[in-house]
Amino acid sequence: MQAEILSTGDEVRAGAVADTNAAYIAENLEAQGVRITRHTCVGDELAELAAAIEEIAPRVPLAVVTGGLGPTEDDRTAAAAARVNGVALVEHPAALEQVRRFFTARNLPLSAANRKQALLPQGATCLENPLGTAPGFCLTIERCLFFFLPGVPSEMRRMLTQHVVPELTTRAATAGEFFGTRAVSTFGLPESAVGEKLAGLAGQFDGLRVGLRVKFPEIHVRLYACGADSARVGQVLQDAAAEVAARLGGRVLSLQGASMAAVVGDLLIRQHATLALAESCTGGLIAKLMTDMPGSSRYFLAAGVTYANQAKQRLLGVSGDTLTRVGAVHEDTACEMAAGARRVAQADYALATTGIAGPDGGTPEKPVGTVVIGLATPHATEAFRYVFPFGRRDLNREVFAVTALDRLRRHLTAQDAEKSAAR
Amino acid sequence: MQAEILSTGDEVRAGAVADTNAAYIAENLEAQGVRITRHTCVGDELAELAAAIEEIAPRVPLAVVTGGLGPTEDDRTAAAAARVNGVALVEHPAALEQVRRFFTARNLPLSAANRKQALLPQGATCLENPLGTAPGFCLTIERCLFFFLPGVPSEMRRMLTQHVVPELTTRAATAGEFFGTRAVSTFGLPESAVGEKLAGLAGQFDGLRVGLRVKFPEIHVRLYACGADSARVGQVLQDAAAEVAARLGGRVLSLQGASMAAVVGDLLIRQHATLALAESCTGGLIAKLMTDMPGSSRYFLAAGVTYANQAKQRLLGVSGDTLTRVGAVHEDTACEMAAGARRVAQADYALATTGIAGPDGGTPEKPVGTVVIGLATPHATEAFRYVFPFGRRDLNREVFAVTALDRLRRHLTAQDAEKSAAR
């Protein structure tokens, strides 16, 4: 089935915000076997809204529209839909009940402006919005089923899952089709190399499509399967994920699409181990990534972000002699930083980063993009040097941080395997 | 003048990436007085590309198209443009020269695939791409001038500035119109409150438009001016920025649109002062924000990211008695953390954060969203408590971090004013 997406609103039209809603809708509908043929974005003017809806209706059997359902005068999507169908806006009892319930639950009075949100085109079906005041609706225009959803991303996402996806699943099941999707996260190979290693994968399994999604510096492999029964689709996805793991080996982070920080966190929890960090060039980014996750206090103890050499000495106990002898960006310094963080925080493991993120500070021996990573474990302290070619401070910092976490991931994974073998 | 934007490519169409190019182009063209009426996105199929171009041509006098200029078979934008105009693709000498130069400069051979990038529709004007292999081109279709630019964001942005904006400036100058734009960054008021305080601002100045852009937790005020001479436009922007400052007072971060971290960094440089951090609930985010900026080693010394109570004691010297007596989230603890970070790093200033970002850990007295900020200066140590209503871990952490930096900004700004007064 083909579908189109229409985003509305002056803030998107004029570029004050990027249209992330369209990408979200497209990705989730494509995962259900729908082919998105076009996105369109127009502003809040009634004539432009109506023109866009009128053009879409004869082209495709399904469309998702976002935005313009709020209480203000600028919110004209319902009026535009009514105009295209040549019907009136009428107060919809289910919609009014929903708006009223939202305000009652918050002990707020229902304003006339919010009451306007219950005005839907005659013939529309109201769609519940569990997170906000704006009810959505669906309406058939010509032979196209339009879903009208709010523009607030969290509300749109919830309603897409609650109202649009089930409609697609039902339609597909009626047609004897089932769809499924799965992500496998990887790190350590560029997109082109992942693509080469996965060449021919789609042809190996019935009804499988494969896509790559760059979440720099990770590459996520998206697997889409379709087939005549849901158990078979699940099996194809599982077998294909296993084949991705076989082809990419240690580059695979998670067969469930988890990020590097989540994978490292899970390994630490499983081993009842704790982590400390000593960050120079990454400037707190690894600590930020690890503590982005709820519950990270179970394993994350502390980080010393030591930009200045003196701070490396005073917070982490790096020796002044070492700094004088080899400088800040060196294996010896990285080892002392990691050992110092582990000791000070009394952690099981510690990671250290010292390097040159740029744009300045590079030398012929240590160009911008150089990072030395220290890893302290209960048994040893090691250092690893890399030079990355990205040449941009923000990209360098991201890849330095995730590379450091990858060193720990590889160590913890090996530990895990040893323990399993011993049992 | 009205214009449209066409984004092409299966990865955008299917939602693997969000279309940030369209927002960038829209914002920059609107700043030049162009009204963007519509964005469209289609995939890589020739028929769909040609249909979209054909529909746009009669609607507007100007269009910007991105994507589909690469060397692969999927790159069909030039072919689509040629088809719509009923002309052939021909090897364009200037385009070939540009592609050849790109490869020669890198000591790489010119492949047949890359040579294809020099095939442009007959009658097109080649546009230089200083950052990549794909030349752009412009071509008039019906009465619409189309700019075809690559889809790689960095290349598109450079070429928009180099080729499209000058065309607009020339057209506007010929018509006796000049455009300018300016951003004023603010923090501390929600979007709706900023909007209320700026009510009527646009009407106060000739040819002024005002827009708000949320860069959570900052709100940036965008000022757009147009007029019959460029000095006058500059004056309107300057006067309007001054009026924004008068209406919003201490909430204004920068009349040049700089971020909180950049403003704090500049103040520290101006005062030859250094900074240390003690982060608990923000988990390294403040350090990350401060060290995102090149040159931050001039003022940023160190951060102790101390999640565990023991780490607060061992890294920062917080007393165990204090932690037992009042707990981690308290003014006394925040003060000891800040004083400890300042002492250990031997910095002029230190900021500390301790709080509850959520989703768990809240209590009736200290709900999720509570943060206590410590500020240590050469003369005193103070603490400030806030409770934010966002209820989401990521938003809480962002607002905690920027609120902490705002405490330091206010202190440094007052210092600055005192010094100026003393001179």
Side-chain angles (χ1 to χ4, degrees):
Chain A
M1 184 168 51
Q2 295 192 338
E4 292 196 26
I5 299 166
L6 173 62
S7 307
T8 74
D10 278 343
E11 69 291 358
V12 185
R13 178 191 61 71
V17 293
D19 187 6
T20 53
N21 279 352
Y24 185 89
I25 296 167
E27 186 168 34
N28 282 276
L29 265 52
E30 289 257 331
Q32 299 296 324
V34 173
R35 184 184 150 83
I36 301 295
T37 50
R38 191 187 278 221
H39 323 175
T40 306
C41 165
V42 295
D44 292 318
E45 291 208 10
L46 189 61
E48 286 171 5
L49 283 164
I53 293 169
E54 201 157 10
E55 289 167 32
I56 291 169
R59 280 198 297 243
V60 284
L62 183 87
V64 178
V65 183
T66 59
L69 304 183
T72 75
E73 276 192 14
D74 281 352
D75 292 303
R76 303 195 178 97
T77 301
R83 177 192 282 199
V84 174
N85 254 7
V87 297
L89 282 177
V90 293
E91 192 167 84
H92 198 291
L96 183 62
E97 172 55 27
Q98 200 194 120
V99 176
R100 200 192 297 280
R101 206 164 49 227
F102 187 91
F103 283 87
T104 308
R106 285 158 185 78
N107 277 320
L108 292 168
L110 179 66
S111 71
N114 287 109
R115 194 170 174 127
K116 161 184 169 282
Q117 296 184 285
L119 293 174
L120 305 184
Q122 207 154 25
T125 306
C126 173
L127 302 173
E128 198 203 344
N129 176 352
L131 300 179
T133 62
F137 60 95
C138 61
L139 180 67
T140 301
I141 301 177
E142 301 200 19
R143 278 187 303 188
C144 177
L145 178 62
F146 279 79
F147 283 89
F148 292 87
L149 307 180
V152 178
S154 57
E155 299 177 20
M156 180 283 290
R157 289 173 185 217
R158 174 73 83 88
M159 292 174 74
L160 193 78
T161 307
Q162 189 165 323
H163 302 298
V164 184
V165 171
E167 168 72 23
L168 295 173
T169 313
T170 308
R171 285 189 180 205
T174 310
E177 287 185 314
F178 291 87
F179 296 92
T181 181
R182 184 162 180 168
V184 177
S185 50
T186 80
F187 174 73
L189 288 174
E191 186 184 9
S192 57
V194 174
E196 280 165 28
K197 285 197 181 283
L198 299 184
L201 178 69
Q204 217 174 310
F205 297 89
D206 231 26
L208 183 73
R209 276 190 307 129
V210 180
L212 298 183
R213 182 157 186 175
V214 179
K215 297 189 171 183
F216 186 87
E218 300 175 12
I219 307 284
H220 290 214
V221 180
R222 289 296 298 249
L223 303 169
Y224 305 91
C226 86
D229 89 75
S230 71
R232 177 90 197 96
V233 165
Q235 191 62 49
V236 164
L237 289 173
Q238 193 175 320
D239 294 349
E243 176 67 18
V244 172
R247 294 199 191 185
L248 299 180
R251 316 296 178 117
V252 167
L253 302 179
S254 157
L255 295 178
Q256 279 74 41
S259 70
M260 177 69 81
V263 168
V264 170
D266 283 349
L267 284 164
L268 289 167
I269 288 174
R270 204 152 69 214
Q271 301 187 15
H272 306 287
T274 54
L275 176 65
L277 302 169
E279 299 193 57
S280 181
C281 54
T282 49
L285 177 56
I286 307 180
K288 191 253 172 208
L289 291 173
M290 292 306 293
T291 61
D292 275 343
M293 277 168 301
S296 41
S297 56
R298 287 170 69 185
Y299 45 83
F300 180 77
L301 298 184
V305 181
T306 52
Y307 239 47
N309 274 349
Q310 206 176 30
K312 291 182 181 72
Q313 296 176 246
R314 292 178 58 100
L315 258 86
L316 303 172
V318 173
S319 104
D321 282 355
T322 304
L323 287 167
T324 310
R325 187 168 47 81
V326 298
V329 182
H330 190 275
E331 284 75 1
D332 294 355
T333 310
C335 282
E336 287 189 30
M337 288 171 68
R342 183 171 175 275
R343 185 181 62 246
V344 174
Q346 300 189 301
D348 298 310
Y349 294 97
L351 280 171
T353 58
T354 177
I356 299 143
D360 305 316
T363 64
E365 300 78 46
K366 293 171 187 170
V368 166
T370 303
V371 65
V372 185
I373 290 162
L375 170 62
T377 73
H379 306 294
T381 302
E382 301 174 276
F384 310 87
R385 182 184 294 235
Y386 300 83
V387 182
F388 291 100
F390 301 108
R392 259 175 56 189
R393 182 178 179 83
D394 55 343
L395 300 184
N396 278 335
R397 278 157 56 97
E398 297 274 356
V399 77
F400 292 175
V402 175
T403 301
L405 289 172
D406 196 46
R407 293 308 332 179
L408 178 58
R409 179 186 71 90
R410 287 171 177 272
H411 181 88
L412 293 172
T413 306
Q415 292 281 105
D416 234 31
E418 264 175 48
K419 276 184 198 154
S420 303
R423 271 198 295 269
Chain B
M1 182 168 55
Q2 295 192 338
E4 292 197 26
I5 298 167
L6 173 62
S7 307
T8 73
D10 278 344
E11 68 290 358
V12 184
R13 178 191 62 71
V17 292
D19 187 5
T20 53
N21 279 351
Y24 185 88
I25 296 167
E27 186 169 34
N28 281 276
L29 265 51
E30 290 257 332
Q32 300 296 324
V34 173
R35 185 184 149 82
I36 301 296
T37 49
R38 191 187 278 221
H39 322 175
T40 307
C41 165
V42 295
D44 292 319
E45 292 209 8
L46 189 61
E48 286 172 5
L49 281 165
I53 293 170
E54 201 157 8
E55 289 167 33
I56 291 169
R59 282 199 296 244
V60 283
L62 184 87
V64 179
V65 184
T66 60
L69 303 183
T72 75
E73 275 191 18
D74 280 352
D75 292 302
R76 303 194 179 97
T77 301
R83 178 192 282 199
V84 174
N85 253 7
V87 297
L89 282 177
V90 293
E91 193 168 82
H92 198 293
L96 183 62
E97 173 55 27
Q98 199 194 122
V99 176
R100 200 191 297 279
R101 207 165 48 227
F102 187 91
F103 284 87
T104 307
R106 284 156 186 78
N107 277 321
L108 292 168
L110 179 66
S111 69
N114 287 108
R115 193 168 174 128
K116 161 184 169 283
Q117 296 184 285
L119 294 175
L120 305 184
Q122 207 152 25
T125 305
C126 172
L127 301 174
E128 200 203 342
N129 176 351
L131 299 179
T133 63
F137 61 95
C138 62
L139 180 67
T140 301
I141 300 176
E142 299 199 21
R143 279 188 302 187
C144 177
L145 177 62
F146 280 78
F147 283 89
F148 292 88
L149 307 181
V152 179
S154 57
E155 300 177 18
M156 180 283 291
R157 289 175 183 214
R158 175 73 82 87
M159 292 174 74
L160 193 79
T161 307
Q162 190 165 322
H163 302 297
V164 184
V165 170
E167 168 73 22
L168 295 173
T169 314
T170 308
R171 283 189 182 206
T174 309
E177 284 185 314
F178 291 86
F179 297 92
T181 181
R182 186 163 180 168
V184 177
S185 50
T186 79
F187 173 73
L189 289 174
E191 187 184 9
S192 56
V194 174
E196 279 164 28
K197 285 197 180 284
L198 298 184
L201 178 69
Q204 217 174 309
F205 297 90
D206 231 27
L208 182 73
R209 277 191 306 128
V210 180
L212 297 183
R213 179 156 188 175
V214 180
K215 297 189 171 183
F216 187 86
E218 299 174 12
I219 307 284
H220 290 215
V221 180
R222 290 296 298 249
L223 303 170
Y224 305 91
C226 85
D229 90 73
S230 71
R232 178 90 197 97
V233 165
Q235 192 62 49
V236 164
L237 290 173
Q238 193 175 321
D239 294 349
E243 176 67 18
V244 172
R247 294 199 191 184
L248 299 180
R251 316 295 177 119
V252 167
L253 302 179
S254 157
L255 295 179
Q256 280 74 39
S259 71
M260 178 69 82
V263 168
V264 170
D266 283 348
L267 284 163
L268 289 168
I269 287 175
R270 205 153 66 213
Q271 301 186 16
H272 306 287
T274 55
L275 175 64
L277 302 169
E279 300 192 56
S280 182
C281 54
T282 50
L285 177 56
I286 307 179
K288 191 250 173 210
L289 291 173
M290 292 306 293
T291 61
D292 275 343
M293 277 168 301
S296 41
S297 56
R298 288 170 70 185
Y299 46 84
F300 179 77
L301 298 184
V305 181
T306 52
Y307 239 48
N309 274 350
Q310 206 176 29
K312 291 182 181 69
Q313 295 176 246
R314 293 178 57 101
L315 257 85
L316 304 171
V318 173
S319 105
D321 282 355
T322 305
L323 287 166
T324 311
R325 188 168 45 83
V326 297
V329 182
H330 190 276
E331 284 74 1
D332 293 356
T333 309
C335 282
E336 288 190 30
M337 288 171 67
R342 184 173 175 274
R343 186 180 63 246
V344 173
Q346 300 189 303
D348 298 310
Y349 295 97
L351 281 171
T353 58
T354 178
I356 299 145
D360 305 316
T363 65
E365 300 79 44
K366 294 172 188 172
V368 167
T370 302
V371 65
V372 185
I373 290 162
L375 170 63
T377 73
H379 306 294
T381 302
E382 302 174 275
F384 310 86
R385 182 183 294 234
Y386 301 83
V387 183
F388 291 100
F390 301 108
R392 260 176 55 190
R393 182 177 178 84
D394 55 343
L395 300 185
N396 277 336
R397 278 158 56 98
E398 297 274 355
V399 77
F400 291 176
V402 176
T403 301
L405 288 172
D406 197 45
R407 293 307 332 178
L408 178 59
R409 179 186 70 89
R410 286 169 178 274
H411 180 87
L412 293 172
T413 306
Q415 291 281 104
D416 234 30
E418 265 176 46
K419 278 185 195 153
S420 303
R423 271 198 294 271

